[in-house]
Amino acid sequence: MYAFDLERPTTLADAQAALKSDEAQPLSGGQTLIPTLKQRLAMPEKLVSLTAIAELQGITKEGDTLTIGGATCHADVAADGSYPALSALAGQIGDPHVRNRGTIGGSLANNDPSACYPSAALASGAAIVTDRREIASDDFFTGMFETALDEGEIVTSVRFPIPERAAYVKFDQPASRFALVGVFVAKTADGVRVAVTGASEGGVFRWAEAEAALSSDFSPAAIEGLTVPSDDMIGDIHGTKDYRAHLVGVITKRAVAAAG
Amino acid sequence: MPADGGIGAPTKRREDVRFLKGTGRYTDDLNRPGQAYVFFLRSNVAHGRLKSVDTSAAAAMPGVVRVFTGADFEGVGGIPCGWQITDKHGEVMQEPAHPVLAQGKVRHVGDPIAAVVADSLEAARDAAEAIEADIEELPAVVDMKAALQDGSPKVHDDLTSNLCYDWGFVEENKAAVDEAFANAAHVTTLELVNNRLIANPMEPRVAIGDFDQAGGNSTLYTTSQNPHVIRLLMGAFVLGIPEHKLRVVAPDVGGGFGSKIFHYAEEAFCTFAAKALNRPVKWTASRSEAFMSDAHGRDHVTTIELALDGDNNFTALRTETHANMGAYLSTFAPSVPTWLHGTLMAGNYKTPLIYVNVKAVFTNTVPVDAYRGAGRPEASYQLERVVDKAARELGVDPIALRRQNFVTEFPYATPVAVEYDTGDYVATMDKLEEMIDISGFEARLAESKKRGKLRGLGVNCYIEACGIAPSNLVGQLGARAGLYESATVRVNATGGIVVMTGSHSHGQGHETSFPQVVAEMIGIDASMVEIEHGDTANAPMGMGTYGSRSIAVGGSAMVRATEKIIAKAKKIAAHLLEASEADIELKDGQFSVAGTDKSVAWGDVTLAAYVPHNYPLEEVEPGLEETAFYDPNNFTFPSGAYACEVEVDPETGKVTIESFAAADDFGNVINPMIVDGQVHGGIAQGIGQALLEACVYDEDGQLLTGSYMDYAMPRADDLPFYAVDHSCQTPCTHNPLGVKGCGEAGAIGSPPAVVNAVVDALQRAGKTNVTHIDMPLSPSRVWAAMNQ
Amino acid sequence: MTQVKMTVNGKSVSGEVEGRTLLSTFIRDTLGLTGTHVGCDTAQCGACTLHVNGKSVKSCNMFALEADGADVATIEGMADADGTLNTIQQAFQDHHGLQCGFCTPGMVMTAAALLKENPSPSEAEIRAYLSGNLCRCTGYHNIVKAIMAASGQDVGQIAAE
């Protein structure tokens, strides 16, 4: 790693101040960032840790809305259970140790194309709340490892409307255990949203055809015959574009079945 | 049940206590006073001409002690190869130079270009970024067959081609083999890839060079399976340091699986630099670095043909294999596809005619060498896959076809130059069938089907040659070293024993099982015996731990040395008891005069040896210490039968192992608990190879699987509990313990079982066009095969 | 350099670290507690697993400064004060749950975290919980068996032996 300063503020205001300087970068759970730093692929002058800030922690449920602090770790979300599909997803990220460190805000801000959380946020129609504004999930994910966040902008919480029915099914990439394909399906009074992670060169995406089919018939059979274009899929040593396109259909069906 | 601590007892491992408390001492846990750290600048291109390396800016950076390049190693020896193959034309193999740091060219991603020694690792790494290496990138050679075509770029400009050797075995049999194929009633042909793997012991390699200027002595602390071999290779061939001025210490070693046999450039560098700088120099590999600097394993591409007569008897076998050597010849690389592979092609079968051709090829990839099983898994995989395919083509039961062709009489001289001393392949297959409930398979298949899953059963057998091995034989085969083992048994005055051995545990529990042997021979408690290993300052010489040789060769050396101890102790006892030496018997640690009640205890005799007040000084010297070198007259031949049951998800192609059973014949067993553990680990690595693991390069020679993010290691939830059994025991006839070795069996026997099972599942589901899928059988490959 | 303070195995410790100093480096190099091992650089092998404030973490994937003020437990603190192996450690020895020993500290720390959350885990739950800890020697068979035994479950029926 290159040398950097590490600050560990205990209030959001201090974190914001610390992030004002050039080449400062927020550090949340660090489960992706630290390996990146080890490879010297990033060269921040300062890292500002967000995990000691109490106001970024915690999970609250008000009515049908679940609000999760940006620096809440995956293990806490997994244990919460008020949005079962989301808790189940959090319980499948990485491994138990990673889940004790990695945070929802960090995961969303990183927008790894194979990460689990972006699919939940997008399918649930969550709102990503930052220290500056609120961003609808449809506007948040702008491409592989890219989001609508500005430099130094901090995800303070994520607000999930809890759907009537929902499920996440993940098919593991055998080495990294990230999603080779992961599908989050959420059914609300307004219809069905389907978000796919792991598969696309563009990162997480909504599968419009599946959403339309499921909105009129929420059953695995509704997916039969639907396909995503394989051209847009990731092709690598773990799966060809065709294989990933095929898996999107299979895993979506399974997610619908799991959502019951 | 044998007495705890004796031969055959499942004695709990004494070394576990320190490992469980975090007080093991691995090489990276050691730090020498004043040590500096080295960081290697490694090539990020697979093939290139090294036009210049400017280190001036790096040398001036803070904390930097010195920057070394290939130029510093001119006049220093290169990394040697320990085995020379003679090809089918009688010519010796092409053997390229392997400099410690690259000279003239870089030949694989990871090839070290320069080494920065600094006060801290981060300072060294910072400075490495300031090195300006001007590399003219050249086209890379990655595919073995392409590498052999005319006009292919050459990995080594001074060699005539990328062909290391073209080996024919047994060349004299070729015409007869061809004739048998011409006359065959049926021929089954299979092309397959034995996937390139990375050993991945959990402890990355570490080397610390140290130099005592006053005495002129060098010490290397290293993660090695065989410190004496490193001392010999590095001292004699690279740095020109005689053995008495060089000590190599390998403390606790965190796994090896072959990858820590070899002498590596980093070891030579640290030893060299410590002397040059008069300061200890430490290198610790990161895992990413390990992926591109540890020798890789396997990487064979084979066409195998099996000829059968009208009664389904195997009449001939013919193979052509391309074996990847990588960019340089690692220590034992040339022997793996030849003598550790060709000699095993008879397998468990009495096929009368066999011809094996192996073309070893240089490519712009990391050197390839022995990995758990080394050559024998490649042999077993081809053979057991082609036999399975033949059974399908002929419409016969694959187990019956195997049984029909088993070797049943021993000793059996194969047509590939080895003689199996003992074995009972029928017994292990019987045992296996007993373990796996074949009759219940249809019901399990139906149950899987209900859940939308396919199910298959794969069975195979294997034979391996281990206890490596007779020096006179391997010498004829091109080994540049002997392959004996030594042991020194030092008995102290109060009766406690220290055994110094050239074998070196890297997880096998030698500290527990070796004392079981010595203690049983004398009849004392195993706690009175301590093992010292891993240090050239102790055992006189040693060839180390690999090839499942530690108990068969190292253990036998201990037996021989202990026999000498007992013989001498009997002389002393005879004197103490005023009896004839011929009448002295040793039982349960007591020396007694046959037919009398006169006896003297072990401790009295050992005390007399060191306090020789009443002692036969004119007949024997004081003291009680003996050394023996043991060199067997044959390999040992463990064998067994394995079975795997899988489910396949037809929608995703994902394979899950539902059950796995192994019936092995290891001859006699010293510690059955440890033996079970060895088999478990081998099976996991075999399943890993079959389903998960692959080291992949792209066409430019870039390593696509450079970390655990892309190289799939087997995890706990990829694997089931295994049923293992070693109750079938045909003791080895030529070593004093009757043992055969068990370290590699699991990795040799398991890949064909898994692949046979998956093919079986697909065939049963009507995918009759799927006769083979290359490993690893990842979900995407299985899905593609089903949808081809 | 910054001063960092924490409690490690019940003892108050401190040292000077850089921002980039990993917790594993501080534990191994500054404190000399070399039972915590480093086996990879992508946070996958789990050999460096220890507990921070009662939760298992990969110490090579966390900065020392992030543990400032924390209560840290390492493998060296697992045995009883008189040196007797604790239940999990003893089960690993009894059931041959280790070979080379390199992954073992991480496995023991992980098993301890699991049994705290789930005192009687099933085989499948144990295997899932070990997904962040690689072992190359044992094939996991005896590790899973040892953890089941440590939780008081009968392991006599498990295949082999």
Side-chain angles (χ1 to χ4, degrees), chain A residues 1-2 38 40 173 175-177 237-238 243 246 254, chain B residues 122 125-126 129 649 651-652 709-710 715 717 783:
Chain A
M1 279 179 276
Y2 297 107
K38 286 182 191 173
R40 297 194 163 205
Q173 192 258 56
S176 68
R177 299 288 184 97
I237 58 170
H238 305 292
Y243 180 62
H246 164 77
R254 292 183 182 185
Chain B
E122 293 294 357
R125 207 169 163 183
D126 287 342
E129 290 187 9
D649 180 341
E651 288 188 318
T652 64
M709 294 296 280
D710 287 300
R715 305 190 202 206
D717 56 1
W783 178 80

PDB file of all heavy atoms in Angstrom, chain A residues 1-2 38 40 173 175-177 237-238 243 246 254, chain B residues 122 125-126 129 649 651-652 709-710 715 717 783:
ATOM      1  N   MET A   1       0.832  -1.205   0.000  1.00  0.00           N
ATOM      2  CA  MET A   1       0.000   0.000   0.000  1.00  0.00           C
ATOM      3  C   MET A   1       0.865   1.253   0.000  1.00  0.00           C
ATOM      4  O   MET A   1       1.933   1.267   0.585  1.00  0.00           O
ATOM      5  CB  MET A   1      -0.883   0.022   1.262  1.00  0.00           C
ATOM      6  CG  MET A   1      -2.107  -0.827   1.149  1.00  0.00           C
ATOM      7  SD  MET A   1      -3.114  -0.820   2.644  1.00  0.00           S
ATOM      8  CE  MET A   1      -2.302  -2.055   3.617  1.00  0.00           C
ATOM      9  N   TYR A   2       0.378   2.260  -0.679  1.00  0.00           N
ATOM     10  CA  TYR A   2       1.016   3.566  -0.554  1.00  0.00           C
ATOM     11  C   TYR A   2       0.648   4.130   0.818  1.00  0.00           C
ATOM     12  O   TYR A   2      -0.353   3.750   1.410  1.00  0.00           O
ATOM     13  CB  TYR A   2       0.504   4.510  -1.648  1.00  0.00           C
ATOM     14  CG  TYR A   2       0.849   4.060  -3.049  1.00  0.00           C
ATOM     15  CD1 TYR A   2      -0.130   3.544  -3.891  1.00  0.00           C
ATOM     16  CD2 TYR A   2       2.159   4.159  -3.525  1.00  0.00           C
ATOM     17  CE1 TYR A   2       0.182   3.131  -5.183  1.00  0.00           C
ATOM     18  CE2 TYR A   2       2.477   3.751  -4.812  1.00  0.00           C
ATOM     19  CZ  TYR A   2       1.480   3.238  -5.634  1.00  0.00           C
ATOM     20  OH  TYR A   2       1.796   2.828  -6.893  1.00  0.00           O
ATOM     21  N   LYS A  38      -3.935  -2.775  -1.303  1.00  0.00           N
ATOM     22  CA  LYS A  38      -2.773  -3.668  -1.221  1.00  0.00           C
ATOM     23  C   LYS A  38      -2.126  -3.854  -2.589  1.00  0.00           C
ATOM     24  O   LYS A  38      -0.924  -4.030  -2.687  1.00  0.00           O
ATOM     25  CB  LYS A  38      -3.192  -5.038  -0.676  1.00  0.00           C
ATOM     26  CG  LYS A  38      -3.482  -5.057   0.809  1.00  0.00           C
ATOM     27  CD  LYS A  38      -3.837  -6.486   1.207  1.00  0.00           C
ATOM     28  CE  LYS A  38      -4.388  -6.548   2.618  1.00  0.00           C
ATOM     29  NZ  LYS A  38      -4.881  -7.888   2.946  1.00  0.00           N
ATOM     30  N   ARG A  40      -1.947  -1.656  -4.710  1.00  0.00           N
ATOM     31  CA  ARG A  40      -1.530  -0.319  -5.121  1.00  0.00           C
ATOM     32  C   ARG A  40      -2.323   0.166  -6.335  1.00  0.00           C
ATOM     33  O   ARG A  40      -1.783   0.827  -7.226  1.00  0.00           O
ATOM     34  CB  ARG A  40      -0.023  -0.287  -5.396  1.00  0.00           C
ATOM     35  CG  ARG A  40       0.791  -0.588  -4.140  1.00  0.00           C
ATOM     36  CD  ARG A  40       2.246  -0.231  -4.288  1.00  0.00           C
ATOM     37  NE  ARG A  40       2.879  -0.144  -2.967  1.00  0.00           N
ATOM     38  CZ  ARG A  40       3.963   0.570  -2.703  1.00  0.00           C
ATOM     39  NH1 ARG A  40       4.548   1.276  -3.645  1.00  0.00           N
ATOM     40  NH2 ARG A  40       4.469   0.597  -1.483  1.00  0.00           N
ATOM     41  N   GLN A 173     -20.198 -17.245  -8.244  1.00  0.00           N
ATOM     42  CA  GLN A 173     -18.972 -17.453  -9.009  1.00  0.00           C
ATOM     43  C   GLN A 173     -18.132 -18.349  -8.106  1.00  0.00           C
ATOM     44  O   GLN A 173     -17.962 -18.049  -6.917  1.00  0.00           O
ATOM     45  CB  GLN A 173     -18.306 -16.090  -9.254  1.00  0.00           C
ATOM     46  CG  GLN A 173     -17.187 -16.101 -10.280  1.00  0.00           C
ATOM     47  CD  GLN A 173     -15.818 -16.089  -9.618  1.00  0.00           C
ATOM     48  OE1 GLN A 173     -15.518 -16.965  -8.801  1.00  0.00           O
ATOM     49  NE2 GLN A 173     -15.010 -15.092  -9.937  1.00  0.00           N
ATOM     50  N   ALA A 175     -15.054 -19.098  -7.473  1.00  0.00           N
ATOM     51  CA  ALA A 175     -13.833 -18.673  -6.775  1.00  0.00           C
ATOM     52  C   ALA A 175     -14.118 -17.559  -5.782  1.00  0.00           C
ATOM     53  O   ALA A 175     -13.884 -17.693  -4.589  1.00  0.00           O
ATOM     54  CB  ALA A 175     -12.777 -18.233  -7.790  1.00  0.00           C
ATOM     55  N   SER A 176     -14.630 -16.449  -6.256  1.00  0.00           N
ATOM     56  CA  SER A 176     -14.785 -15.262  -5.404  1.00  0.00           C
ATOM     57  C   SER A 176     -16.009 -15.361  -4.512  1.00  0.00           C
ATOM     58  O   SER A 176     -16.094 -14.671  -3.504  1.00  0.00           O
ATOM     59  CB  SER A 176     -14.924 -14.019  -6.276  1.00  0.00           C
ATOM     60  OG  SER A 176     -16.158 -14.064  -6.989  1.00  0.00           O
ATOM     61  N   ARG A 177     -16.957 -16.188  -4.900  1.00  0.00           N
ATOM     62  CA  ARG A 177     -18.261 -16.288  -4.243  1.00  0.00           C
ATOM     63  C   ARG A 177     -19.070 -14.990  -4.359  1.00  0.00           C
ATOM     64  O   ARG A 177     -20.055 -14.816  -3.640  1.00  0.00           O
ATOM     65  CB  ARG A 177     -18.131 -16.716  -2.779  1.00  0.00           C
ATOM     66  CG  ARG A 177     -17.484 -18.092  -2.595  1.00  0.00           C
ATOM     67  CD  ARG A 177     -18.422 -19.202  -3.031  1.00  0.00           C
ATOM     68  NE  ARG A 177     -17.915 -20.543  -2.805  1.00  0.00           N
ATOM     69  CZ  ARG A 177     -18.220 -21.297  -1.754  1.00  0.00           C
ATOM     70  NH1 ARG A 177     -18.999 -20.836  -0.813  1.00  0.00           N
ATOM     71  NH2 ARG A 177     -17.743 -22.513  -1.648  1.00  0.00           N
ATOM     72  N   ILE A 237     -13.768 -16.382 -17.674  1.00  0.00           N
ATOM     73  CA  ILE A 237     -13.431 -17.791 -17.486  1.00  0.00           C
ATOM     74  C   ILE A 237     -14.485 -18.527 -16.655  1.00  0.00           C
ATOM     75  O   ILE A 237     -14.518 -19.743 -16.660  1.00  0.00           O
ATOM     76  CB  ILE A 237     -12.036 -17.976 -16.829  1.00  0.00           C
ATOM     77  CG1 ILE A 237     -11.967 -17.275 -15.473  1.00  0.00           C
ATOM     78  CG2 ILE A 237     -10.941 -17.486 -17.753  1.00  0.00           C
ATOM     79  CD1 ILE A 237     -10.711 -17.640 -14.688  1.00  0.00           C
ATOM     80  N   HIS A 238     -15.326 -17.797 -15.964  1.00  0.00           N
ATOM     81  CA  HIS A 238     -16.327 -18.459 -15.117  1.00  0.00           C
ATOM     82  C   HIS A 238     -17.652 -18.683 -15.836  1.00  0.00           C
ATOM     83  O   HIS A 238     -18.513 -19.391 -15.335  1.00  0.00           O
ATOM     84  CB  HIS A 238     -16.553 -17.652 -13.839  1.00  0.00           C
ATOM     85  CG  HIS A 238     -15.289 -17.414 -13.093  1.00  0.00           C
ATOM     86  ND1 HIS A 238     -14.607 -18.423 -12.476  1.00  0.00           N
ATOM     87  CD2 HIS A 238     -14.543 -16.285 -12.916  1.00  0.00           C
ATOM     88  CE1 HIS A 238     -13.494 -17.940 -11.925  1.00  0.00           C
ATOM     89  NE2 HIS A 238     -13.445 -16.655 -12.185  1.00  0.00           N
ATOM     90  N   TYR A 243     -23.978 -18.236 -21.343  1.00  0.00           N
ATOM     91  CA  TYR A 243     -24.290 -18.920 -20.085  1.00  0.00           C
ATOM     92  C   TYR A 243     -24.908 -17.947 -19.092  1.00  0.00           C
ATOM     93  O   TYR A 243     -25.919 -18.245 -18.442  1.00  0.00           O
ATOM     94  CB  TYR A 243     -23.019 -19.548 -19.510  1.00  0.00           C
ATOM     95  CG  TYR A 243     -23.245 -20.282 -18.211  1.00  0.00           C
ATOM     96  CD1 TYR A 243     -24.090 -21.384 -18.145  1.00  0.00           C
ATOM     97  CD2 TYR A 243     -22.598 -19.865 -17.044  1.00  0.00           C
ATOM     98  CE1 TYR A 243     -24.282 -22.058 -16.947  1.00  0.00           C
ATOM     99  CE2 TYR A 243     -22.783 -20.535 -15.852  1.00  0.00           C
ATOM    100  CZ  TYR A 243     -23.628 -21.629 -15.806  1.00  0.00           C
ATOM    101  OH  TYR A 243     -23.832 -22.295 -14.625  1.00  0.00           O
ATOM    102  N   HIS A 246     -28.418 -17.161 -20.053  1.00  0.00           N
ATOM    103  CA  HIS A 246     -29.284 -18.290 -19.694  1.00  0.00           C
ATOM    104  C   HIS A 246     -29.570 -18.294 -18.189  1.00  0.00           C
ATOM    105  O   HIS A 246     -30.719 -18.473 -17.761  1.00  0.00           O
ATOM    106  CB  HIS A 246     -28.595 -19.587 -20.130  1.00  0.00           C
ATOM    107  CG  HIS A 246     -29.169 -20.816 -19.495  1.00  0.00           C
ATOM    108  ND1 HIS A 246     -30.359 -21.374 -19.899  1.00  0.00           N
ATOM    109  CD2 HIS A 246     -28.714 -21.581 -18.467  1.00  0.00           C
ATOM    110  CE1 HIS A 246     -30.601 -22.444 -19.150  1.00  0.00           C
ATOM    111  NE2 HIS A 246     -29.622 -22.586 -18.270  1.00  0.00           N
ATOM    112  N   ARG A 254     -36.237 -18.871 -10.224  1.00  0.00           N
ATOM    113  CA  ARG A 254     -36.057 -19.388  -8.856  1.00  0.00           C
ATOM    114  C   ARG A 254     -36.365 -18.312  -7.816  1.00  0.00           C
ATOM    115  O   ARG A 254     -36.889 -18.610  -6.736  1.00  0.00           O
ATOM    116  CB  ARG A 254     -34.638 -19.938  -8.693  1.00  0.00           C
ATOM    117  CG  ARG A 254     -34.443 -21.192  -9.532  1.00  0.00           C
ATOM    118  CD  ARG A 254     -33.085 -21.828  -9.364  1.00  0.00           C
ATOM    119  NE  ARG A 254     -33.016 -22.994 -10.254  1.00  0.00           N
ATOM    120  CZ  ARG A 254     -32.003 -23.840 -10.304  1.00  0.00           C
ATOM    121  NH1 ARG A 254     -30.953 -23.663  -9.524  1.00  0.00           N
ATOM    122  NH2 ARG A 254     -32.015 -24.861 -11.129  1.00  0.00           N
TER     123      ARG A 254
ATOM    124  N   GLU B 122       7.637  -1.858   2.517  1.00  0.00           N
ATOM    125  CA  GLU B 122       6.965  -0.804   1.752  1.00  0.00           C
ATOM    126  C   GLU B 122       7.983   0.100   1.062  1.00  0.00           C
ATOM    127  O   GLU B 122       7.775   0.545  -0.067  1.00  0.00           O
ATOM    128  CB  GLU B 122       6.020   0.013   2.652  1.00  0.00           C
ATOM    129  CG  GLU B 122       4.820  -0.783   3.180  1.00  0.00           C
ATOM    130  CD  GLU B 122       3.817  -1.243   2.101  1.00  0.00           C
ATOM    131  OE1 GLU B 122       3.980  -0.920   0.913  1.00  0.00           O
ATOM    132  OE2 GLU B 122       2.860  -1.954   2.481  1.00  0.00           O
ATOM    133  N   ARG B 125       9.115  -1.667  -1.914  1.00  0.00           N
ATOM    134  CA  ARG B 125       8.086  -1.672  -2.947  1.00  0.00           C
ATOM    135  C   ARG B 125       7.970  -0.300  -3.622  1.00  0.00           C
ATOM    136  O   ARG B 125       7.792  -0.200  -4.835  1.00  0.00           O
ATOM    137  CB  ARG B 125       6.757  -2.065  -2.302  1.00  0.00           C
ATOM    138  CG  ARG B 125       5.855  -2.702  -3.287  1.00  0.00           C
ATOM    139  CD  ARG B 125       4.648  -3.333  -2.661  1.00  0.00           C
ATOM    140  NE  ARG B 125       3.682  -3.540  -3.736  1.00  0.00           N
ATOM    141  CZ  ARG B 125       2.471  -4.023  -3.569  1.00  0.00           C
ATOM    142  NH1 ARG B 125       2.063  -4.362  -2.366  1.00  0.00           N
ATOM    143  NH2 ARG B 125       1.649  -4.165  -4.585  1.00  0.00           N
ATOM    144  N   ASP B 126       8.074   0.732  -2.796  1.00  0.00           N
ATOM    145  CA  ASP B 126       8.066   2.093  -3.364  1.00  0.00           C
ATOM    146  C   ASP B 126       9.194   2.231  -4.376  1.00  0.00           C
ATOM    147  O   ASP B 126       9.013   2.767  -5.465  1.00  0.00           O
ATOM    148  CB  ASP B 126       8.268   3.136  -2.254  1.00  0.00           C
ATOM    149  CG  ASP B 126       7.039   3.303  -1.368  1.00  0.00           C
ATOM    150  OD1 ASP B 126       5.946   2.888  -1.788  1.00  0.00           O
ATOM    151  OD2 ASP B 126       7.194   3.833  -0.246  1.00  0.00           O
ATOM    152  N   GLU B 129       8.941   0.680  -7.845  1.00  0.00           N
ATOM    153  CA  GLU B 129       8.159   1.412  -8.841  1.00  0.00           C
ATOM    154  C   GLU B 129       9.010   2.440  -9.582  1.00  0.00           C
ATOM    155  O   GLU B 129       8.627   2.908 -10.653  1.00  0.00           O
ATOM    156  CB  GLU B 129       6.964   2.109  -8.169  1.00  0.00           C
ATOM    157  CG  GLU B 129       5.927   1.112  -7.714  1.00  0.00           C
ATOM    158  CD  GLU B 129       4.660   1.779  -7.198  1.00  0.00           C
ATOM    159  OE1 GLU B 129       4.512   3.006  -7.342  1.00  0.00           O
ATOM    160  OE2 GLU B 129       3.821   1.053  -6.641  1.00  0.00           O
ATOM    161  N   ASP B 649     -27.340 -30.164 -11.543  1.00  0.00           N
ATOM    162  CA  ASP B 649     -28.505 -29.307 -11.760  1.00  0.00           C
ATOM    163  C   ASP B 649     -28.588 -29.058 -13.266  1.00  0.00           C
ATOM    164  O   ASP B 649     -27.729 -28.367 -13.826  1.00  0.00           O
ATOM    165  CB  ASP B 649     -28.306 -27.994 -10.990  1.00  0.00           C
ATOM    166  CG  ASP B 649     -29.471 -27.035 -11.160  1.00  0.00           C
ATOM    167  OD1 ASP B 649     -30.253 -27.202 -12.128  1.00  0.00           O
ATOM    168  OD2 ASP B 649     -29.593 -26.111 -10.343  1.00  0.00           O
ATOM    169  N   GLU B 651     -30.373 -27.237 -15.067  1.00  0.00           N
ATOM    170  CA  GLU B 651     -30.611 -25.857 -15.514  1.00  0.00           C
ATOM    171  C   GLU B 651     -29.368 -24.995 -15.432  1.00  0.00           C
ATOM    172  O   GLU B 651     -29.190 -24.071 -16.208  1.00  0.00           O
ATOM    173  CB  GLU B 651     -31.714 -25.222 -14.661  1.00  0.00           C
ATOM    174  CG  GLU B 651     -33.092 -25.788 -14.958  1.00  0.00           C
ATOM    175  CD  GLU B 651     -34.180 -25.011 -14.245  1.00  0.00           C
ATOM    176  OE1 GLU B 651     -33.985 -24.659 -13.052  1.00  0.00           O
ATOM    177  OE2 GLU B 651     -35.223 -24.747 -14.847  1.00  0.00           O
ATOM    178  N   THR B 652     -28.509 -25.276 -14.449  1.00  0.00           N
ATOM    179  CA  THR B 652     -27.328 -24.422 -14.265  1.00  0.00           C
ATOM    180  C   THR B 652     -26.028 -25.141 -14.578  1.00  0.00           C
ATOM    181  O   THR B 652     -24.988 -24.508 -14.720  1.00  0.00           O
ATOM    182  CB  THR B 652     -27.232 -23.932 -12.807  1.00  0.00           C
ATOM    183  OG1 THR B 652     -27.032 -25.081 -11.961  1.00  0.00           O
ATOM    184  CG2 THR B 652     -28.487 -23.189 -12.378  1.00  0.00           C
ATOM    185  N   MET B 709      -9.748 -14.692  -6.103  1.00  0.00           N
ATOM    186  CA  MET B 709     -10.968 -14.155  -6.708  1.00  0.00           C
ATOM    187  C   MET B 709     -11.320 -14.935  -7.979  1.00  0.00           C
ATOM    188  O   MET B 709     -12.468 -14.967  -8.396  1.00  0.00           O
ATOM    189  CB  MET B 709     -10.792 -12.673  -7.061  1.00  0.00           C
ATOM    190  CG  MET B 709     -10.618 -11.762  -5.862  1.00  0.00           C
ATOM    191  SD  MET B 709     -12.060 -11.714  -4.786  1.00  0.00           S
ATOM    192  CE  MET B 709     -13.099 -10.562  -5.685  1.00  0.00           C
ATOM    193  N   ASP B 710     -10.304 -15.523  -8.605  1.00  0.00           N
ATOM    194  CA  ASP B 710     -10.554 -16.237  -9.860  1.00  0.00           C
ATOM    195  C   ASP B 710     -10.085 -17.680  -9.859  1.00  0.00           C
ATOM    196  O   ASP B 710     -10.502 -18.461 -10.698  1.00  0.00           O
ATOM    197  CB  ASP B 710      -9.900 -15.477 -11.027  1.00  0.00           C
ATOM    198  CG  ASP B 710     -10.658 -14.212 -11.349  1.00  0.00           C
ATOM    199  OD1 ASP B 710     -11.850 -14.311 -11.681  1.00  0.00           O
ATOM    200  OD2 ASP B 710     -10.084 -13.106 -11.220  1.00  0.00           O
ATOM    201  N   ARG B 715     -13.864 -25.145  -0.845  1.00  0.00           N
ATOM    202  CA  ARG B 715     -14.208 -24.685   0.504  1.00  0.00           C
ATOM    203  C   ARG B 715     -15.064 -25.739   1.191  1.00  0.00           C
ATOM    204  O   ARG B 715     -15.527 -26.678   0.559  1.00  0.00           O
ATOM    205  CB  ARG B 715     -14.968 -23.371   0.431  1.00  0.00           C
ATOM    206  CG  ARG B 715     -14.190 -22.326  -0.349  1.00  0.00           C
ATOM    207  CD  ARG B 715     -14.834 -20.970  -0.199  1.00  0.00           C
ATOM    208  NE  ARG B 715     -14.426 -20.122  -1.314  1.00  0.00           N
ATOM    209  CZ  ARG B 715     -14.371 -18.804  -1.262  1.00  0.00           C
ATOM    210  NH1 ARG B 715     -14.687 -18.174  -0.164  1.00  0.00           N
ATOM    211  NH2 ARG B 715     -14.007 -18.115  -2.313  1.00  0.00           N
ATOM    212  N   ASP B 717     -18.034 -25.897   2.116  1.00  0.00           N
ATOM    213  CA  ASP B 717     -19.372 -26.200   1.618  1.00  0.00           C
ATOM    214  C   ASP B 717     -19.378 -26.699   0.173  1.00  0.00           C
ATOM    215  O   ASP B 717     -20.436 -26.928  -0.405  1.00  0.00           O
ATOM    216  CB  ASP B 717     -20.319 -25.002   1.807  1.00  0.00           C
ATOM    217  CG  ASP B 717     -19.802 -23.747   1.156  1.00  0.00           C
ATOM    218  OD1 ASP B 717     -18.721 -23.782   0.538  1.00  0.00           O
ATOM    219  OD2 ASP B 717     -20.485 -22.703   1.264  1.00  0.00           O
ATOM    220  N   TRP B 783     -22.939 -27.089 -18.329  1.00  0.00           N
ATOM    221  CA  TRP B 783     -24.112 -26.578 -19.045  1.00  0.00           C
ATOM    222  C   TRP B 783     -23.842 -26.541 -20.551  1.00  0.00           C
ATOM    223  O   TRP B 783     -24.686 -26.966 -21.356  1.00  0.00           O
ATOM    224  CB  TRP B 783     -24.474 -25.182 -18.527  1.00  0.00           C
ATOM    225  CG  TRP B 783     -25.646 -24.584 -19.243  1.00  0.00           C
ATOM    226  CD1 TRP B 783     -26.963 -24.852 -19.029  1.00  0.00           C
ATOM    227  CD2 TRP B 783     -25.588 -23.647 -20.328  1.00  0.00           C
ATOM    228  NE1 TRP B 783     -27.735 -24.125 -19.906  1.00  0.00           N
ATOM    229  CE2 TRP B 783     -26.925 -23.375 -20.715  1.00  0.00           C
ATOM    230  CE3 TRP B 783     -24.547 -22.999 -20.991  1.00  0.00           C
ATOM    231  CZ2 TRP B 783     -27.236 -22.497 -21.740  1.00  0.00           C
ATOM    232  CZ3 TRP B 783     -24.850 -22.119 -22.027  1.00  0.00           C
ATOM    233  CH2 TRP B 783     -26.188 -21.864 -22.392  1.00  0.00           C
TER     234      TRP B 783
END
